[in-house]
Amino acid sequence: DDVAAAFGPQGYVQWGTLSVSEADSVLDQLAGCTSIDEYNIVVLLVEISRTAPESAADFLIGRIERWERAASPLDYTPLPHTWHRMPLFTSDRRYGDRLRRVLKWMADSADDARRRIAGGELFALMAGDFGEEPLAVLREALSSGDIQQVKIVGAILNQAPRNLLWEQVDFVTLALRSADLYGEEAVQRVGGGLHAAAFKGMRSGVPMEPFDWDTEQRDKSAEILGALQPGSVEYKFYESLVESAKRGIAWKADIDETLISRREIGRAHV
């Protein structure tokens, strides 16, 4: 962390002024760290992603591969748990190629759970809000004819922002239909990733009212259902989101009623 601090806003060294061998030496030291959660390290990685995106991607892929070889997943943490600032891969003119490389690297070991998990996190870091270019890369994978790439899209979608489900219905439809061509396992991988995206974030609410999270999911999914073919794989997906939201609303109502009943009983005994 002290070495990384030298490159920070208050530091005395700029990453772009290092020679190739000096930069490689710093990255080699960081690769050996069991964790890179420290603030100054994260700030340095953001700077590298801006000025040398290929080096940043190579470094993070290398850490994931090192984690794959660790005897226990607890022995090594490949990526920061928290990014105090978000990486800036999107400024790279070869941004799409970087995303394709990560996806194909993941597909090379599609059944490796550690690579699926951490690789999906890395792709999502690079994809940001999953705008036009990341979605184009995912569409290519879905249409590639390669079942491994299709399954990897499912792992990546685990990390996708929730609003993708409501704002990119055509993409969701393509993902589910592409998976359906390869059988139940592929459908479970892609559908599971989309369901995981639906539940990203924190729920908040007030007593005696459902969570906004659940009402949004119910209402937006129900609206989308009206434009889909009943019985299709995409219809079943959005129908499941409606039913899941309804269960969440019912659960919240039951919890609220139980808490109010307990308070009333408590007051009665005062």
Side-chain angles (χ1 to χ4, degrees):
D1 191 45
D2 291 339
V3 172
F7 298 91
Q10 309 303 320
Y12 52 87
V13 183
Q14 292 185 336
W15 184 261
T17 65
L18 298 183
S19 67
V20 172
S21 61
E22 289 170 336
D24 286 345
S25 176
V26 173
L27 291 176
D28 285 345
Q29 292 180 59
L30 291 177
C33 298
T34 57
S35 169
I36 50 174
D37 279 328
E38 290 81 359
Y39 175 83
N40 288 317
I41 294 177
V42 173
V43 170
L44 173 58
L45 291 177
V46 171
E47 175 62 14
I48 298 172
S49 75
R50 183 183 68 84
T51 59
E54 184 173 9
S55 295
D58 287 346
F59 170 73
L60 295 173
I61 286 172
R63 282 191 62 88
I64 294 171
E65 290 177 341
R66 185 182 288 238
W67 183 49
E68 292 171 8
R69 298 189 297 269
S72 166
L74 302 179
D75 290 343
Y76 191 87
T77 304
L79 303 175
H81 286 114
T82 302
W83 288 83
H84 311 287
R85 301 179 188 176
M86 294 307 296
L88 302 171
F89 290 99
T90 54
S91 61
D92 179 17
R93 63 183 178 83
R94 297 187 60 195
Y95 176 51
D97 291 337
R98 308 266 182 246
L99 292 171
R100 290 182 186 90
R101 182 193 168 206
V102 172
L103 191 150
K104 290 177 181 177
W105 165 76
M106 292 175 67
D108 287 342
S109 296
D111 293 322
D112 187 305
R114 295 191 197 183
R115 183 169 296 196
R116 285 201 311 272
I117 293 168
E121 291 179 14
L122 175 56
F123 188 101
L125 278 171
M126 298 173 69
D129 61 359
F130 278 67
E132 181 177 342
E133 196 155 9
L135 289 182
V137 172
L138 294 179
R139 287 190 182 96
E140 289 174 11
L142 291 167
S143 303
S144 66
D146 181 354
I147 185 175
Q148 303 302 333
Q149 290 194 45
V150 173
K151 290 194 293 187
I152 283 304
V153 170
I156 290 169
L157 290 175
N158 268 279
Q159 306 297 327
R162 191 168 187 257
N163 64 347
L164 180 142
L165 302 176
W166 329 127
E167 298 174 5
Q168 299 289 340
V169 178
D170 287 347
F171 171 79
V172 173
T173 297
L174 172 65
L176 291 167
R177 289 184 181 181
S178 298
D180 198 35
L181 295 174
Y182 296 99
E184 186 61 27
E185 181 185 0
V187 171
Q188 288 181 357
R189 291 278 187 95
V190 172
L194 290 167
H195 272 285
F199 293 99
K200 287 181 71 68
M202 294 287 292
R203 297 188 184 192
S204 61
V206 296
M208 302 309 296
E209 292 184 15
F211 291 121
D212 290 343
W213 173 297
D214 288 322
T215 55
E216 176 191 48
Q217 180 173 316
R218 179 198 61 192
D219 295 345
K220 289 187 174 181
S221 297
E223 181 180 357
I224 290 167
L225 277 176
L228 301 179
Q229 179 65 40
S232 64
V233 64
E234 61 270 20
Y235 186 97
K236 292 176 182 177
F237 171 72
Y238 282 102
E239 186 177 42
S240 73
L241 291 185
V242 171
E243 295 305 315
S244 173
K246 288 179 178 178
R247 289 193 297 272
I249 291 168
W251 176 85
K252 176 65 160 51
D254 287 343
I255 290 294
D256 286 342
E257 184 176 347
T258 298
L259 290 175
I260 289 173
S261 296
R262 288 178 178 174
R263 288 172 186 166
E264 290 176 348
I265 292 172
R267 291 192 190 102
H269 287 82
V270 173

